[in-house]
Amino acid sequence: MITPPTIHAFLPPKRILMGPGPSDVHPQVLAAQARPTVGHLDPLFIGMMDELKQLLQYAFQTKNEMTLAVSAPGSAGMETCFVNLLQPGDTVIVCRNGVFGERMRQNVERCGAIAITVDNAWGEPVNPQAVEAALKAHPEANFVAFVHAETSTGALSDAKTLCALARQYQCLSIVDAVTSLGGVELRVDEWGIDAIYSGSQKCLSCVPGLSPVSFSPAAVARIQARTLPVQSWFLDQTLVMSYWSGGAKRSYHHTAPVNALYALHESLRLLAAEGLEQAWQRHNDMHQLLKLGLESLGLKFVVAEHCRLPQLNAVYIPAGVDDAAVRKQLLEQYNLEIGAGLGDLAGKAWRIGLMGYAARRENVALCLKALENVLA
């Protein structure tokens, strides 16, 4: 008989999350998650799911019928798009300008498809001219995949132009909007995005663990025309949609994360109440305040201003400064979390997030003062 361990309840401190995610969760969202759990096929819960779908359509700016929240984090949203759309032998133009473009490439190859990579330096946006050159060189291409907001660097790519290129060359577009949804301009229908995925824990100020996705009618038609079954049963959208869009007689697919969906419903309701354009402007306003303060401390941005994400600020670590020691001191003395660099920027940059509820004046002021004190 194994003796039961003596473990006390976990009581986390109140951190201020200004890293690359998760972001600060709005208090109303935390409160929503604590509401009583109901069955995932309860008529009242199904009604809430209908509202959640409408709110997601607003956030994505789309009328796509196949718009829902995958019951898993953004990485599963990414896989959802690739495994449903791709079949062995398909050719995908994959744009890489950071960690998450490379993850797209790995997904393509795991689906048995062929990845044609278009590379840009870390910190630069995807180059549309290079993408068009790849499309001309590979007329067999079926898809163009790129990251709208590259979280590893803070670079923002021109999704409108890239999706127009995909359409021009008869390709469907697959877009990573994990860090962009709710933080910068994003218009799925107007820009002609075919498949898009995001995450609940960034600019939506929700708890981690859900991935909003949306598929255009052209993408749905592609899924329906598959000759092979989707390689993932759980992520197969032909099965999931009968749960999200089956009306009062929805079929059982999986037990939805009921309380997490309460939280997403509340976070999207708050976004709709604020207004998308107002939320985009708030992120930009807070970025401008942070930018002035960081530059006054002598910190240099990784990304040029014209293609810089307001909600994810990557700055170079000054020479002679211990990366880990600074972040440790910020966490222990100020309860403030900022992010380390990833990939090519590991040990060279900090990533400071201003996402969702974290994009507030008091957070900017605390971050700047804390950095000033620690660096001094």
Side-chain angles (χ1 to χ4, degrees), residues 56-62 146-149 156-160 163 175-193 195-199 204 212 214 276-277 280 311:
L56 283 172
Q57 288 171 322
Y58 170 71
F60 278 128
Q61 287 293 283
T62 184
F146 65 90
V147 179
H148 184 209
L156 177 66
S157 290
D158 185 349
K160 183 178 181 180
C163 289
V175 180
D176 178 323
V178 170
T179 300
S180 57
L181 182 63
V184 290
E185 184 179 13
L186 176 62
R187 303 181 189 275
V188 167
D189 286 358
E190 184 180 323
W191 295 353
I193 296 172
I196 189 166
Y197 58 91
S198 188
L204 298 184
S214 187
L276 262 180
E277 293 185 346
W280 299 338
Q311 65 268 44

Side-chain angles (χ1 to χ4, degrees), residues 253-280:
H253 180 263
H254 66 279
T255 302
V258 171
N259 290 64
L261 288 171
Y262 293 169
L264 183 59
H265 180 278
E266 183 66 8
S267 72
L268 290 167
R269 194 188 67 78
L270 291 169
L271 177 63
E274 180 180 9
L276 262 180
E277 293 185 346
Q278 288 75 17
W280 299 338

Side-chain angles (χ1 to χ4, degrees), residues 6 92 104 173 250 254 283-284 325 369 376:
T6 302
V92 187
M104 282 184 152
S173 52
R250 300 191 187 209
H254 66 279
H283 282 88
N284 187 61
K369 189 62 181 174

Side-chain angles (χ1 to χ4, degrees), residues 129-335:
Q129 288 74 33
V131 173
E132 184 165 23
L135 286 164
K136 287 178 177 177
H138 295 277
E140 74 280 12
N142 313 97
F143 300 92
V144 173
F146 65 90
V147 179
H148 184 209
E150 180 52 75
T151 315
S152 59
T153 67
L156 177 66
S157 290
D158 185 349
K160 183 178 181 180
T161 296
L162 293 170
C163 289
L165 273 174
R167 287 196 310 278
Q168 181 183 339
Y169 288 87
Q170 291 78 53
C171 291
L172 297 182
S173 52
I174 302 175
V175 180
D176 178 323
V178 170
T179 300
S180 57
L181 182 63
V184 290
E185 184 179 13
L186 176 62
R187 303 181 189 275
V188 167
D189 286 358
E190 184 180 323
W191 295 353
I193 296 172
D194 290 299
I196 189 166
Y197 58 91
S198 188
S200 55
Q201 78 281 15
K202 305 275 189 172
C203 294
L204 298 184
S205 294
C206 187
V207 295
L210 295 169
S211 180
V213 299
S214 187
F215 294 87
S216 72
V220 173
R222 180 86 184 189
I223 295 170
Q224 292 172 338
R226 291 181 64 92
T227 56
L228 295 172
V230 175
Q231 66 193 61
S232 167
W233 179 89
F234 180 67
L235 299 177
D236 185 342
Q237 292 306 284
T238 62
L239 303 176
V240 176
M241 278 305 292
S242 63
Y243 177 52
W244 274 87
S245 298
K249 296 181 179 180
R250 300 191 187 209
S251 62
Y252 166 70
H253 180 263
H254 66 279
T255 302
V258 171
N259 290 64
L261 288 171
Y262 293 169
L264 183 59
H265 180 278
E266 183 66 8
S267 72
L268 290 167
R269 194 188 67 78
L270 291 169
L271 177 63
E274 180 180 9
L276 262 180
E277 293 185 346
Q278 288 75 17
W280 299 338
Q281 187 62 51
R282 172 170 55 84
H283 282 88
N284 187 61
D285 290 346
M286 294 304 102
H287 162 71
Q288 294 301 329
L289 280 179
L290 182 67
K291 169 181 172 288
L292 289 173
L294 291 174
E295 289 177 343
S296 72
L297 293 175
L299 298 175
K300 309 278 186 193
F301 279 84
V302 171
V303 179
E305 192 161 3
H306 73 277
C307 56
R308 186 182 299 160
L309 278 173
Q311 65 268 44
L312 199 286
N313 299 266
V315 291
Y316 288 111
I317 299 168
V321 171
D322 187 320
D323 168 27
V326 168
R327 288 185 290 106
K328 182 173 184 284
Q329 201 170 342
L330 291 173
L331 198 64
E332 292 179 350
Q333 295 184 10
Y334 298 92
N335 268 325

